[in-house]
Amino acid sequence: FERESLLATMREVVERHRLAPGAIELELTETSMVQDFERTLPRLQALIDAGVRLAIDDFGTGYSSLAYLTRLPISKLKVDRAFVSQLGISREGEAVCRAIIALGRSLGVHVLAEGVETSDQVRALRELGCATMQGFLFARPVPADQVRAAIASAEARARSEISTQPLAGLIAPQGAVELS
């Protein structure tokens, strides 16, 4: 993110591959976005103007400033797995998840929970109002050359298990799912 060439690279990739606006999403940590906020903000806006979406990754684990958050041109907050793993275990962990989800929704940004590993976590996140999740419960990471085969395999499994698995049919690329 600190490299001056990032914006030019993103513009070149969007143009070369004729990507629709928003087809590329960069995940940045809170800390990287606010280290030198007045210098960073125009860079973030230039990325948005180039058709790149921005997500705050691992939200809640870095330098969380609500004052900065309201000024950042982000489209997604990603709830860190450290909080998701505490669902059903710790009232405090659940409180943090609830707060991040409510904050994201009230700011009008998409909220995604990371590190979902159990059906209980899915139920808890749905009850808290989080409909998009990713984690090992849905898919494990795969090398780039195996992504298409992994998606086809997951879709085939989902079709065959649709009547027996409440989460079947919800598997999406990169292990993220939308539950609505």
Side-chain angles (χ1 to χ4, degrees):
F1 181 65
E2 291 296 317
R3 290 185 183 159
E4 293 294 329
S5 62
L6 177 63
L7 178 60
T9 300
M10 291 294 102
R11 284 181 176 152
E12 192 268 328
V13 167
V14 168
E15 184 177 315
R16 180 175 7 122
H17 296 286
R18 290 174 269 184
L19 298 173
I24 296 177
E25 180 177 88
L26 293 179
E27 296 181 6
L28 302 167
T29 63
E30 299 163 83
T31 304
S32 70
M33 288 186 177
V34 298
Q35 279 178 337
D36 184 356
F37 189 72
E38 296 309 320
R39 183 173 151 245
T40 301
L41 192 57
R43 287 177 158 198
L44 295 172
Q45 191 57 56
L47 286 167
I48 297 290
D49 294 344
V52 176
R53 292 181 305 146
L54 301 174
I56 297 181
D57 194 25
D58 303 332
F59 186 75
T61 62
Y63 180 77
S64 300
S65 170
L66 298 181
Y68 289 137
L69 184 60
T70 61
R71 295 181 56 201
L72 290 170
I74 59 166
S75 59
K76 184 183 292 175
L77 283 180
K78 295 184 78 176
V79 181
D80 189 72
R81 70 185 319 260
F83 305 121
V84 172
S85 69
Q86 293 300 301
L87 289 171
I89 296 170
S90 157
R91 284 186 315 157
E92 295 82 6
E94 183 173 325
V96 172
C97 277
R98 182 184 311 278
I100 293 171
I101 293 165
L103 178 63
R105 292 178 68 162
S106 62
L107 290 173
V109 299
H110 195 87
V111 179
L112 181 143
E114 297 181 298
V116 177
E117 296 182 1
T118 69
S119 298
D120 289 340
Q121 291 170 339
V122 170
R123 281 189 279 286
L125 288 162
R126 288 185 79 181
E127 288 173 10
L128 295 174
C130 183
T132 308
M133 305 166 201
Q134 71 181 39
F136 290 163
L137 178 64
F138 308 109
R140 297 249 176 207
V142 296
D145 63 342
Q146 296 174 20
V147 170
R148 288 179 192 225
I151 291 171
S153 174
E155 288 173 341
R157 269 194 329 275
R159 280 191 296 277
S160 70
E161 298 175 8
I162 195 95
S163 62
T164 60
Q165 296 288 330
L167 299 177
L170 303 173
I171 297 170
Q174 302 165 358
V177 298
E178 176 90 22
L179 302 170
S180 16

